[in-house]
Amino acid sequence: MKPRIDFYTASPDALKAMIALDTAVSKLPLEKPLIELVKLRASQINGCAFCVDMHTADARKAGETERRLYAVSVWRETPFFTPRERAALAWTESLTQLSQTHAPDEDYELAAAQFTPKELVDLTVAICTINSWNRLAVGFRKMPQE
């Protein structure tokens, strides 16, 4: 695929706002490895090669195992994830595929059982943020570095 436009230079003010949101998400008191799993799963669903590459590398740097990274796309069929991670991944899938799932009660209740109300809002903002980045990167064909 051929990159379309560099969205950072095309609209610096809009990207400053995105970066500020991303910075705020990085400071939320949720576990960083959990957030990387969420970012990776949303990026897989959205087909964002740039973000899958980046968040896989970031997760590795933070100590995530190769085995778990390989299994994120099939997390429901593996024993590698904690109940809290499973709830976060289910909520990520529900919100990332919102037009299909409509955020079902089952996924909400699973997440609400593992996260406080504040944590659940924080997690949801993190999911919203990565989905926004995915849309920028996929829409404008941002490519991973070789």
Side-chain angles (χ1 to χ4, degrees), residues 16 26 51 72 146:
K16 283 179 189 172
S26 74
C51 294
V72 168
E146 290 188 47

Side-chain angles (χ1 to χ4, degrees), residues 27-40:
K27 294 177 181 175
L28 295 173
L30 293 170
E31 308 91 290
K32 301 308 175 207
L34 176 87
I35 294 301
E36 286 303 326
L37 292 176
V38 163
K39 289 177 178 181
L40 177 57

Side-chain angles (χ1 to χ4, degrees), residues 38-125:
V38 163
K39 289 177 178 181
L40 177 57
R41 185 64 190 124
S43 299
Q44 289 172 334
I45 292 167
N46 289 321
C48 185
F50 179 83
C51 294
V52 166
D53 181 65
M54 178 172 58
H55 294 298
T56 301
D58 289 349
R60 277 190 199 106
K61 287 178 198 169
E64 188 59 76
T65 67
E66 294 291 316
R67 191 175 195 194
R68 281 173 36 104
L69 287 174
Y70 298 148
V72 168
S73 64
V74 292
W75 65 269
R76 292 178 194 271
E77 288 79 33
T78 69
F80 308 144
F81 301 97
T82 68
R84 186 170 165 92
E85 290 168 336
R86 297 173 79 73
L89 290 167
W91 191 235
T92 300
E93 289 182 357
S94 290
L95 295 182
T96 300
Q97 301 171 339
L98 193 59
S99 68
Q100 298 165 24
T101 68
H102 305 283
D105 290 341
E106 177 183 323
D107 289 341
Y108 172 79
E109 289 163 9
L110 186 64
Q114 294 293 324
F115 294 88
T116 67
K118 180 195 181 324
E119 289 174 329
L120 191 50
V121 171
D122 289 351
L123 175 63
T124 301
V125 170

